[in-house]
Structure formats: structure tokens, C-alpha cells
Amino acid sequence: MSKKTKEILLLIAILIILNSIGHSFYKRFDLTSDQRYTLSETTKILVNQIQTPLFIEVYLEGEFDAGFKRLQTETAQYLEQLASLNKKIKINFKNPNNQREALIKRGMLPSQLTITEDGKMSEAIIFPWAEIRFGKKTTLVSLLPSSIVASQEEQLEKAIGNLEYEFSNAIQTVAQKKLKKIAILSGNGELTDIYQYSFLSAVTKKYSMAKFSLDAHTIKAPQTLENLSNFDLAIIAKPTEKFTEKEKFVLDQFIVNGGKTLWMLDNVQADQDSLGNTGKMLAYPKDLGLTDLLFTYGIRINTSIVKDLYAAKIPVATGNIGKQAQFKNLDWHYHPLAQGNPENPITKNILPVRLQFANQIDTLKNNITKTPLLVSSLFTQKVGTPKIIAIQAIADPVVESDYNGGSQLFAVLLSGNFKSAYKNRIQPFKTPLFNPQSEFNKMIVISDGDVGKNQLLKEQPYDLSRDKWTQQQFGNKDFLLNAVDYLLDDTGILNLRNKSLQIRMLDPQKAFKERQFWQFLNVVLPLVLLIVFGLIFRYFRKRKYA
């Protein structure tokens, strides 16, 4: 065997060994400035815990424009990273064209895509969804979540930035073995089930939930506290009846013993339904008996109603044509559209949240950290109560100088070591569970009881994220679901929503105008350079060896 043959065989052997090593070991180097291809430790821990096959089917196969092709590529690359960490994860991309009706029935609503090609615009329907199956559990992942965006390109940028959170959250949902428990408090005139259906039906996909009545157990208050302590979170949705001292003590001790709380409170009696029926209503302060409790935790809900120039629309009858009433959607300043805190994972990139006759929240100085979640615009007016509110006021001309109240706080996250409101007071009943101060804990207070109230259409619950009359979309559902996730999140998955990427997109108008130049630069010029190089090389070769 010649020396040259041995060298060739050795080279082939080395290539085979390197190829085998490459199949056995996966390593990817992330050189991007925003570390977009680096998985968080939270995701790594979650993925490594999967012991049985987990199937991910992505419905992003097909012909897209360059922007959505980017989303398809980024999704594939991200899922490849997950699969490289754990071989139990199986990925499959599917074309949805042959099963559109079936996908819609399973909750995967299509999105309308605007495609610009050669300066011409066209429309296309896509299904930006993924489905995760783990054992008998199944959940959906939206690859194009709704958010506040100025353009389709910005929406794609936010969608790519949310990939890790959306998939990690969905994987945790199907893979968790023990569900955390949520108590939906009743007994003080809270919202009935049908008005909370849209919100709570989404909560039940991830958590265990049960109704819990405080007033039914007031005689055996110590046992009530013990029973409530078995839950991880209590949701108090628009109570209308005053809390007794025993009930407040139960809630107080639930909090200082580690229980999380989500408060949706109205300090003023004002309801849009009664206004729609009569055209007028009296808005007046409502005493729920919770002022001292919330004051201890560091906040106060005032009894003034906030009007905001940035508000949702309501349908108003403007006349008749024949016997048919004519309606027009007009801004109703008593329904402010609250803006989310862009720096907090609960509210980042969500749509504005519609509130109804919301009250202002004041924060007080103590050891508790207060993080604003929902705020009004700068153009607000505080309306004192009691006050008669008439629907005819919607036609009054707007005097901007009257709306100089500045930004008002509607929802706040409280975190820290909560002191008991009964630390230096007589306790309504004796309990061995009494604790004067909590370890680190969290709660969220919203000064509007209707933030989680869905409408009814033909006596059936309507989606909380959309108005049945105007078809406006709101962030109420996303906000409340994120709030629940944040309060019960022990792993930090929700913090992945704060991940921001800078996707550098082409300017479509500039690309169209300069397309001939770039086509020449990328297609024709390399060929010309190759021909010139070939002629010069041939000339010198001929001259040297002639």
C-alpha cells in the first residue's frame, strides 16, 4: 500500500471519528449580543425533568414571506435546543392546510397575514400554533400572541422573544405532577360563576380550583382558617357585602402564613348594567370593611371614580331609521383603558386592560415593596361620590383642561414581609396558627371588581378578552392569568416574559426601491468577478507555461 493511499485512508478514518463525535455531542456557541440562543437555567431544569416522551407538533409548515419564515426558523432552532437537552422531546412540523377546520375546533384560531412582494400586498391565512402532548395531557402554544404593536414586523419580533416563555410555560403545564390549589372566595356577594367563567376556565387548565365560603363557617372560624390554609392562592372577585372581623382575621392569617391573594375590589357601588337599563344611576361609596386590613399592608383604595380620556367605547343609541334603533360606538370615559407596566413580566406586551368605574389606589410608606401594574393615562379626572351618572353625559363636549389629574394607579403588586393587622389588637378568635408577621409573600390588588367579569351572549359566557358589542380586544384575561402565574410561580418561568430581542428587519419600501441594485450586487457582480478572475488566471498561466 502506497504512502498516499495510507494518508487518504487515515483522513477518511479521522473524518468518520469526528462525524461520530459530532452526532454524540451537541454544542452551540451563542455570539449574539442579546444571547437569544442561550436557554435560561429555569428552562434547562424544566426540560431535564422530563422522563417520558413529550411530543411537540408545530403548524408552521408552508410558504410564508420572509418575516414569518424567520419565525418558522427561530421556532425550529429553539425546539432543536430543547431536543438536544433531552432526547425524550420529539418535534414535528406540520402543514395545516388539510386540517384547518379540525384545528379551529381545537382552539387554534388562524391569523391573517399581510404579504408584501414586489411592491404588491396580498393576504394569507396561517396557523401560528404548536400543540404539546405529554401522556394524556395536551396544551396549545400560541406562537403569535396578541400584544401592543405598531407593525407586523414588531409583532414578529415580540413573538420570537416570547418563544422560550410560551414553550416553557406550556411544558410546565402538562408536565407538573402536583397542581397548586386556588380558593375562589364566596359568601360576601362575590361575582357568580357564570361571570367569572372565561377567566376561571383558563385557570383550571393549570391549577386545581375550588369554591370556598367564609360566611358558612363563621361559627367555627379556627377550622375555617385551617381549611383555607390548605390553598396556595385566594381570589376575591368583587365582593359586595361587608366582611366581618372573623372573616378579615381569617384572610389576614392566611396571608401572614404564606397564602397568596388576588384582590379585585370596588370601593364604589356603580354598575354598567344598571346604567344601561335606566340611563341613570347613583354611584356611592361602599364599605367592605377592608380599609384597615389593606392600610396595614401599605395601600388605600379611595372612593373617587377615575375618568380617563383614553377609554373604551360603548354602544349608544343615536336615533332610529324606521323602527330600527341605530347605535354608534362612543368613548365612555368611565371605562379607562389601563396601561401595563412594560418592565414587569405580568403586564409586559399585553393589550390595554379595560376597567369599569375604577377607583384610585394610594400607596403608603412601610416595609412593603409596591410595584405599579396598571395605570391610567395622564389625562384623567377624579369624580367624587356620591354622584348621579347619566349615560347622556357621553355626548357632553370634552374640555381637556378638566382632565389634568395625571396618571392614576389601578393595580399594584405588594411584596415583602407582611405584618398582621391584628398584631397589637384583640383577636376575633384564638388559633394556634396566629402569626404576627409573614415570611416573604406577594399579593396583587386591583381597584376594579369588574376587571375579571365576562359578558353574557345569549345567556352564555363571552370571552373576557373581547367586547361583545364593539369587538374591541383587551388584555384583561392575559393580565389576570399572568397575575395568577406570577403569584404561584416558584421557578421564575414568568420572568422569561421579560426577555427582549432586537430583530433587525428590512425596510420593505426601501428594499423594493433598491431591489435592482441589490440583485445586481448579489447575483450579477459575483459572476462578473468570477469571469474576470478566470480570464486573468488563464492569461498568466498561458504566459508562464507557453
Side-chain angles (χ1 to χ4, degrees):
M1 184 182 296
S2 66
K3 182 179 179 181
K4 191 171 183 178
T5 304
K6 290 181 179 180
E7 290 176 350
I8 293 174
L9 292 176
L10 179 62
L11 179 61
I12 294 173
I14 291 173
L15 291 175
I16 293 174
I17 293 172
L18 290 176
N19 189 50
S20 301
I21 294 174
H23 279 287
S24 303
F25 298 96
Y26 177 89
K27 182 62 179 176
R28 190 176 188 179
F29 297 97
D30 188 355
L31 302 179
T32 58
S33 59
D34 50 20
Q35 296 293 290
R36 73 180 61 175
Y37 301 117
T38 300
L39 296 178
S40 67
E41 289 301 319
T42 299
T43 299
K44 291 178 182 178
I45 293 172
L46 179 66
V47 169
N48 288 328
Q49 290 175 345
I50 297 173
Q51 302 296 326
T52 55
L54 183 145
F55 300 94
I56 302 177
E57 293 183 344
V58 186
Y59 297 95
L60 266 184
E61 192 66 38
E63 295 297 326
F64 310 119
D65 72 337
F68 277 86
K69 196 72 176 177
R70 182 69 175 272
L71 177 61
Q72 181 190 47
T73 303
E74 294 280 353
T75 302
Q77 290 179 344
Y78 174 74
L79 293 178
E80 286 172 4
Q81 284 184 284
L82 297 187
S84 70
L85 283 178
N86 192 328
K87 301 301 181 184
K88 298 291 184 181
I89 296 179
K90 312 296 181 183
I91 305 163
N92 183 25
F93 276 74
K94 285 187 173 182
N95 193 319
N97 289 338
N98 298 326
Q99 46 182 326
R100 292 189 173 190
E101 291 186 8
L103 295 181
I104 293 173
K105 289 180 180 178
R106 281 149 59 187
M108 300 183 219
L109 299 180
S111 296
Q112 190 170 3
L113 172 65
T114 302
I115 300 175
T116 303
E117 188 174 355
D118 294 335
K120 299 179 181 179
M121 298 181 67
S122 60
E123 303 290 338
I125 299 299
I126 66 168
F127 285 80
W129 292 89
E131 187 176 36
I132 297 180
R133 291 183 289 110
F134 186 72
K136 296 182 179 180
K137 293 183 180 180
T138 302
T139 190
L140 301 179
V141 179
S142 174
L143 303 179
L144 199 65
S146 58
S147 58
I148 308 173
V149 292
S151 63
Q152 184 171 284
E153 288 75 17
E154 188 179 346
Q155 185 180 28
L156 284 169
E157 180 179 321
K158 295 186 183 302
I160 293 171
N162 267 344
L163 282 176
E164 183 172 9
Y165 166 71
E166 294 292 342
F167 278 103
S168 295
N169 186 46
I171 291 173
Q172 186 193 49
T173 299
V174 297
Q176 62 183 343
K177 297 178 181 178
K178 184 179 180 181
L179 301 180
K180 292 199 172 183
K181 299 168 68 176
I182 299 176
I184 310 300
L185 295 193
S186 62
N188 292 85
E190 287 86 354
L191 287 176
T192 56
D193 294 344
I194 194 169
Y195 286 107
Q196 298 187 75
Y197 180 83
S198 179
F199 164 46
L200 297 183
S201 61
V203 173
T204 55
K205 296 177 181 178
K206 194 171 180 180
Y207 304 102
S208 174
M209 193 170 61
K211 292 288 288 289
F212 191 94
S213 178
L214 290 178
D215 70 336
H217 305 280
T218 50
I219 298 176
K220 300 178 181 178
Q223 186 62 45
T224 303
L225 174 57
E226 187 175 336
N227 293 341
L228 185 59
S229 298
N230 293 324
F231 291 87
D232 300 290
L233 169 69
I235 296 178
I236 307 99
K238 197 179 180 179
T240 56
E241 299 173 10
K242 189 173 182 178
F243 287 77
T244 66
E245 286 299 321
K246 287 184 178 180
E247 292 167 346
K248 287 160 57 178
F249 186 61
V250 168
L251 288 173
D252 176 81
Q253 286 304 297
F254 171 71
I255 291 167
V256 295
N257 280 288
K260 311 296 188 295
T261 45
L262 175 59
W263 305 81
M264 293 175 267
L265 304 175
D266 280 333
N267 249 12
V268 171
Q269 177 60 44
D271 191 87
Q272 185 66 24
D273 293 336
S274 61
L275 183 65
N277 294 332
T278 62
K280 288 184 179 181
M281 72 172 181
L282 175 64
Y284 57 90
K286 179 168 54 179
D287 183 16
L288 297 175
L290 297 173
T291 301
D292 58 337
L293 207 64
L294 298 176
F295 192 90
T296 304
Y297 305 146
I299 65 165
R300 176 177 57 230
I301 301 178
N302 292 318
T303 56
S304 56
I305 298 174
V306 177
K307 294 177 68 177
D308 195 336
L309 288 185
Y310 185 53
K313 297 180 183 293
I314 61 170
V316 179
T318 56
N320 295 290
I321 297 180
K323 295 183 179 180
Q324 187 70 34
Q326 300 299 302
F327 289 88
K328 188 175 182 180
N329 297 328
L330 301 175
D331 292 333
W332 182 230
H333 299 143
Y334 287 100
H335 286 186
L337 291 176
Q339 301 298 304
N341 183 346
E343 304 300 325
N344 191 278
I346 299 174
T347 49
K348 183 175 182 179
N349 293 335
I350 68 169
L351 294 172
V353 175
R354 177 177 64 177
L355 306 178
Q356 302 181 42
F357 304 103
N359 311 128
Q360 170 213 5
I361 296 178
D362 285 335
T363 58
L364 311 170
K365 289 185 178 181
N366 63 359
N367 64 319
I368 301 299
T369 302
K370 293 98 178 171
T371 305
L373 295 179
L374 295 179
V375 295
S376 71
S377 75
L378 295 174
F379 305 102
T380 61
Q381 180 187 87
K382 288 187 285 187
V383 178
T385 56
K387 180 180 176 59
I388 295 177
I389 298 176
I391 195 68
Q392 292 178 345
I394 202 169
D396 294 342
V398 174
V399 180
E400 291 192 14
S401 59
D402 293 339
Y403 291 82
N404 57 2
S407 181
Q408 306 295 333
L409 180 62
F410 291 134
V412 60
L413 165 67
L414 305 178
S415 55
N417 304 100
F418 293 97
K419 292 181 180 178
S420 170
Y422 294 86
K423 181 178 180 180
N424 299 313
R425 293 168 53 186
I426 297 175
Q427 300 168 21
F429 59 85
K430 296 297 181 183
T431 172
L433 297 178
F434 178 76
N435 196 344
Q437 183 168 311
S438 75
E439 300 294 330
F440 181 83
N441 202 355
K442 300 176 287 188
M443 72 168 66
I444 292 175
V445 182
I446 310 166
S447 60
D448 177 32
D450 293 312
V451 66
K453 180 182 178 181
N454 58 252
Q455 299 168 312
L456 300 182
L457 181 63
K458 297 181 179 179
E459 303 303 319
Q460 296 298 316
Y462 197 74
D463 189 359
L464 178 61
S465 61
R466 186 184 293 271
D467 183 85
K468 69 176 181 179
W469 302 112
T470 66
Q471 292 303 302
Q472 283 181 285
Q473 286 188 295
F474 306 110
N476 295 50
K477 193 172 184 178
D478 289 336
F479 167 62
L480 292 176
L481 292 176
N482 289 345
V484 171
D485 285 343
Y486 184 87
L487 292 172
L488 294 178
D489 183 16
D490 296 329
T491 60
I493 282 183
L494 198 69
N495 288 324
L496 298 177
R497 294 191 79 246
N498 271 346
K499 188 174 183 179
S500 297
L501 303 180
Q502 185 65 38
I503 309 298
R504 292 166 178 82
M505 308 293 289
L506 291 176
D507 184 339
Q509 293 183 349
K510 189 175 181 180
F512 175 71
K513 289 180 181 178
E514 301 178 2
R515 70 186 188 282
Q516 292 182 344
F517 169 76
W518 293 106
Q519 286 173 350
F520 172 80
L521 188 68
N522 288 284
V523 179
V524 179
L525 185 60
L527 294 176
V528 172
L529 292 175
L530 185 63
I531 293 171
V532 171
F533 174 79
L535 293 174
I536 294 173
F537 180 78
R538 178 182 174 85
Y539 170 77
F540 281 104
R541 181 181 176 84
K542 196 172 184 180
R543 182 177 177 181
K544 182 178 181 179
Y545 296 105

